[in-house]
């Protein structure tokens, strides 16, 4: 057993400090006038915390000046990974400096204060109309939707609306809404937010197994085996977080049309466009996935992903007011006027919504299209480079031509000739490499990339393919070709070093995961609880 597991760093640091014997008056001077003592002509950096512990788990009895508080926190946060090299997250990490300025000017505004900030509310409304038109809502001039703190909240609202409509139909037919109760269908590759809706709002979650044949995503034909009269809807994901594949919305809708014609039960679709909602309309506008399909009743997206705004903004849009039950809308009277709210949160910052509108004005359709096409081009280059190395197999398909296109007639720059999907590259060791080097663990690549600054996750696929682990890179606007070149070089160098039998990096299997040190984790952390539900296989694992 490793000795480090028995060491409490905070305790040994405390025991290792200089021992000082102070007179009563000296103790009084140091303790009560700490700032005065340390702010003199001696130690400056970190002020009073230069050689004493920073309060971590309780509020200090006495504060420090602003510059010192800033320096302490700034220094600790410098141990975080660099957002530029974070290829694990879909979240946008860069905006133009002028957008930073605009957000800072409005950082104190609360979106819910509609009467106090009427222009902010107008901008909110404009964004909803823009998205409704972009996604071909039947009447975007009377758009129905709202900003959210992200796609998680937006998915909850879309699911709640479908559940309430199902309940109203059951009651009108004189049927129970409790026995056997509602269910919702999604692929086993569903992101945690979809599972949260089912668990938090007491809806049975029916996970459809994935397979290589289904391209690691929802299989519509298999999904139909789970549909019944108690199905409130189907979550269809436009951009799987595992591999970036779009799920086939049109095929799912056609099968549900046949089911309704046969049984009389109408099952709606909510499209989780957390990432794809800001990629597909610009990169592949001919692809049918949105409100052009009548069975799609609601769509969500993350403005802070490929919407290119900073974190803190999502959107949910309904096909029309018919699909948003009135009892989910609250009428407010205490803010100076009559206002309406349909969200899980109440107060929320307004500046992310303003940042979203800035992007709409600044980029326009052409700008968003250029960003999407550049991202996809770089993702295709990365995919081909990894495969040509011979070390890796790429599971994502955006670099592969559609089957109806003859390869010799293809213009490589024509995005329509490739399979549609997110600019995501999911890859693993090739079968040949694994056979030749069975002792090398793929997770070592993640660890060694982190030593070079790159954050590239290695994780298992969804149930039925959980024995396969993959590495994944999300290609975003600030992942330039120069960075791509360096990443490929580092991946190849690391992989080649791993194959050298005399290399000390064969000992990597003993390394732990990056993250917060163990002694920090016991404070303010939710631990595993007895009696918790079993892991369903999606990204989230119950405590």
């Amino acid at each position: 057993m490793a000795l480090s597991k028995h060491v409490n760093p905070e305790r040994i640091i405390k025991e290792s400090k200089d021992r000082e014997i102070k007179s009563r008056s000296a103790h009084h001077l140091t303790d009560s006038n700490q700032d005065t003592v340390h702010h003199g002509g001696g130690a400056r950096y970190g002020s009073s915390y230069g050689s004493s512990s920073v309060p971590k788990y309780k509020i200090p009895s006495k504060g420090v000046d602003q510059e010192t508080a800033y320096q302490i926190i700034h220094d600790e946060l410098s141990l975080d990974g660099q957002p530029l090299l974070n290829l694990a997250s879909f979240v946008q990490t860069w905006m133009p400096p002028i957008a930073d300025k605009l957000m800072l000017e409005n950082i104190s505004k609360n979106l819910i204060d509609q009467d106090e900030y009427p222009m902010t509310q107008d901008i909110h409304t404009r964004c909803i109309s823009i998205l409704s038109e972009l996604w071909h809502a039947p009447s975007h001039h009377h758009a129905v939707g709202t900003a959210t703190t992200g796609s998680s909240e937006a998915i909850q609202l879309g699911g709640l609306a479908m559940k309430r409509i199902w309940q109203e139909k059951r009651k009108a037919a004189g049927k129970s809404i409790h026995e056997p109760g509602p269910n919702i269908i999604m692929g086993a590759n569903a992101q945690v937010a979809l599972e949260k809706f089912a668990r938090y709002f007491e809806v049975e979650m029916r996970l459809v197994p994935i397979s290589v044949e289904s391209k690691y995503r929802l299989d519509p034909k298999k999904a139909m085996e789970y549909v019944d009269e108690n199905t409130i809807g189907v979550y269809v994901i436009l951009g799987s977080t595992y591999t970036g594949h779009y799920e086939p919305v049109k095929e799912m809708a056609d099968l549900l049309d046949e089911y309704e014609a046969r049984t009389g039960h109408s099952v709606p679709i909510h499209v989780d466009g957390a990432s794809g909602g800001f990629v597909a309309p610009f990169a592949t506008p001919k692809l049918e996935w949105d409100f052009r399909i009548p069975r799609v009743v609601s769509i969500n997206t993350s403005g802070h992903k490929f919407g290119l705004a900073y974190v803190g903004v999502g959107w949910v849009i309904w096909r029309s007011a018919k699909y948003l039950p009135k009892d989910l809308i609250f009428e407010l009277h205490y803010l100076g006027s009559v206002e309406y709210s349909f969200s899980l949160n109440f107060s929320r910052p307004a500046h992310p919504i303003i940042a979203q509108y800035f992007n709409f004005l600044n980029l326009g359709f052409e700008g968003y299209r250029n960003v999407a096409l550049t991202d996809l081009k770089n993702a295709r280059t990365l995919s081909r480079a990894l495969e040509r190395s011979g070390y890796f197999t790429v599971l994502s398909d955006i670099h592969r031509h559609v089957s109806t296109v003859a390869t010799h007639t293809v213009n490589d720059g024509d995005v329509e000739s490739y399979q549609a999907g997110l600019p995501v590259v999911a890859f693993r060791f090739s079968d040949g490499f694994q056979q030749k080097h069975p002792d090398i663990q793929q997770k070592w690549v993640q660890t060694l990339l982190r030593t070079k600054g790159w954050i590239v996750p290695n994780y298992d696929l969804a149930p039925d393919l959980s024995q396969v682990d993959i590495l994944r890179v999300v290609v975003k606007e600030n992942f330039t070709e120069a960075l791509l070149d360096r990443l490929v070089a580092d991946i190849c160098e690391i992989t080649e070093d791993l194959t050298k039998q005399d290399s000390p990096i064969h000992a990597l299997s003993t390394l732990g995961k990056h993250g917060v040190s163990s002694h920090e984790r016991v404070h303010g952390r939710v631990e595993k609880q007895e009696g918790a539900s079993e892991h369903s296989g999606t990204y989230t694992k119950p405590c």
Side-chain angles (χ1 to χ4, degrees):
M1 185 175 291
L3 178 63
S4 61
K5 292 187 177 180
H6 299 282
V7 171
N8 183 326
E10 289 186 350
R11 178 175 58 80
I12 62 175
I13 288 173
K14 184 177 180 180
E15 293 172 352
S16 302
K17 289 184 177 181
D18 291 346
R19 297 179 61 188
E20 296 182 15
I21 301 175
K22 303 183 180 74
S23 66
R24 186 170 184 177
S25 58
H27 176 76
H28 175 76
L29 177 66
T30 304
D31 184 55
S32 301
N33 302 296
Q34 191 179 49
D35 290 343
T36 304
V37 171
H38 287 285
H39 287 178
R44 297 172 297 168
Y45 194 92
S47 187
S48 57
Y49 292 121
S51 60
S52 58
S53 300
V54 174
K56 296 178 181 177
Y57 313 120
K58 65 177 182 179
I59 192 169
S61 58
K62 187 177 182 180
V64 295
D65 61 89
Q66 298 168 16
E67 290 77 11
T68 299
Y70 166 83
Q71 193 67 58
I72 290 168
I73 300 171
H74 169 84
D75 289 352
E76 287 204 85
L77 290 177
S78 68
L79 297 173
D80 277 346
Q82 291 188 45
L84 174 65
L85 303 182
N86 181 2
L87 308 181
S89 175
F90 285 81
V91 174
Q92 176 76 354
T93 56
W94 178 86
M95 289 191 75
I98 195 70
D100 294 345
K101 178 184 177 183
L102 182 63
M103 294 179 72
L104 188 60
E105 290 171 354
N106 292 278
I107 201 166
S108 62
K109 290 183 179 178
N110 187 353
L111 183 67
I112 201 65
D113 294 338
Q114 299 175 21
D115 191 59
E116 289 80 356
Y117 307 122
M119 284 312 303
T120 299
Q121 192 55 221
D122 281 352
I123 286 175
H124 172 252
T125 302
R126 293 175 198 173
C127 288
I128 293 168
S129 294
I130 288 170
L131 288 171
S132 298
E133 191 271 339
L134 185 67
W135 295 339
H136 301 95
S139 181
H140 62 269
H141 296 294
H142 301 284
V144 179
T146 184
T148 59
T149 50
S151 272
S152 293
E153 182 188 0
I155 285 167
Q156 316 294 312
L157 294 174
L160 273 174
M162 291 192 299
K163 179 183 177 181
R164 192 57 52 88
I165 289 173
W166 174 84
Q167 289 175 327
E168 292 172 354
K169 288 181 179 178
R170 296 283 292 181
K171 289 177 181 177
K175 297 180 179 180
S176 172
I177 62 172
H178 303 294
E179 298 295 338
N183 66 73
I184 191 163
I185 296 168
M186 64 192 83
N189 58 306
Q191 204 263 358
V192 57
L194 283 70
E195 184 176 351
K196 275 187 175 182
F197 163 74
R199 197 185 303 178
Y200 287 178
F201 293 98
E202 299 182 323
V203 176
E204 178 193 351
M205 178 178 61
R206 295 184 174 178
L207 289 178
V208 182
I210 66 166
S211 64
V212 175
E213 293 72 28
S214 73
K215 297 184 178 180
Y216 318 100
R217 62 184 184 179
L218 178 76
D219 182 335
K221 291 189 173 88
K222 194 167 287 186
M224 293 306 301
E225 299 172 11
Y226 295 79
V227 176
D228 60 29
E229 64 177 307
N230 297 305
T231 301
I232 67 171
V234 179
Y235 277 141
V236 184
I237 306 168
L238 195 74
S240 170
T241 46
Y242 283 88
T243 59
H245 285 97
Y246 289 164
E247 294 186 338
V249 185
K250 184 69 166 62
E251 183 182 348
M252 189 75 251
D254 290 344
L255 291 173
L256 289 171
D257 287 346
E258 295 173 8
Y259 175 80
E260 182 177 1
R262 188 172 67 253
T263 66
H265 300 309
S266 179
V267 178
I269 288 175
H270 173 94
V271 175
D272 173 19
S275 297
F278 268 110
V279 176
F282 303 109
T284 51
K286 296 177 184 177
L287 180 69
E288 290 188 62
W289 63 274
D290 54 17
F291 291 123
R292 284 172 289 186
I293 301 172
R295 196 160 292 276
V296 174
V297 299
S298 51
I299 302 171
N300 70 275
T301 195
S302 290
H304 59 230
K305 292 180 181 173
F306 292 101
L308 307 181
Y310 285 136
V311 68
V313 58
W315 302 94
V316 58
I317 308 292
W318 281 270
R319 183 178 196 83
S320 69
K322 171 184 175 182
Y323 299 99
L324 178 62
K326 291 181 180 178
D327 64 348
L328 293 180
I329 304 174
F330 288 83
E331 187 175 294
L332 314 173
H333 291 270
Y334 65 88
L335 294 174
S337 64
V338 177
E339 298 165 5
Y340 299 92
S341 171
F342 44 106
S343 60
L344 299 180
N345 290 333
F346 190 64
S347 292
R348 73 176 77 242
H351 62 273
I353 287 87
I354 295 169
Q356 184 74 83
Y357 188 58
F358 168 88
N359 281 336
F360 287 153
L361 290 184
N362 175 234
L363 292 170
F365 187 94
E366 183 178 351
Y368 267 108
R369 178 171 170 81
N370 288 338
V371 170
L373 293 181
T374 300
D375 290 349
L376 287 165
K377 182 178 180 180
N378 284 336
R380 291 196 299 270
T381 300
L382 177 59
S383 300
R384 296 187 192 111
L386 290 169
E387 287 193 331
R388 286 171 180 167
S389 73
Y391 303 140
F392 299 99
T393 295
V394 176
L395 282 68
S396 44
D397 288 319
I398 52 168
H399 63 301
R400 297 189 173 96
H401 296 294
V402 294
S403 57
T404 56
V405 176
T407 317
H408 62 276
T409 63
V410 166
N411 173 4
D412 280 346
D414 180 14
V415 69
E416 299 287 350
S417 67
Y418 296 97
Q419 296 188 34
L422 298 178
V424 167
V425 182
F427 58 105
R428 63 171 177 83
F429 280 149
S430 65
D431 292 340
F433 183 88
Q434 289 178 313
Q435 290 170 8
K436 192 173 181 180
H437 305 284
D439 58 324
I440 295 178
Q441 299 182 43
Q442 190 172 282
K443 65 181 180 181
W444 296 352
V445 176
Q446 172 187 351
T447 302
L448 286 171
L449 282 173
R450 187 63 185 265
T451 66
K452 294 176 177 289
W454 301 107
I455 303 175
V456 176
N458 183 86
Y459 55 90
D460 299 338
L461 284 176
D464 290 297
L465 288 177
S466 57
Q467 75 280 5
V468 178
D469 60 326
I470 61 172
L471 294 152
R472 187 199 65 195
V473 169
V474 180
V475 178
K476 293 177 285 195
E477 182 182 12
N478 55 347
F479 184 65
T480 61
E481 187 172 340
L483 289 175
L484 189 158
D485 291 347
R486 187 65 256 167
L487 176 65
V488 172
D490 285 342
I491 290 175
C492 291
E493 179 185 343
I494 285 169
T495 306
E496 288 166 2
D497 283 345
L498 284 169
T499 64
K500 299 174 183 176
Q501 296 299 322
D502 60 344
S503 172
I505 55 179
H506 262 63
L508 278 171
S509 57
T510 62
L511 291 181
K513 296 180 180 178
H514 289 274
V516 183
S517 57
S518 59
H519 66 279
E520 294 271 9
R521 290 179 177 177
V522 299
H523 295 272
R525 176 173 175 172
V526 178
E527 299 293 344
K528 184 173 178 63
Q529 305 294 321
E530 291 186 9
S533 57
E534 293 298 318
H535 175 38
S536 66
T538 58
Y539 271 115
T540 178
K541 293 187 179 182
C543 291

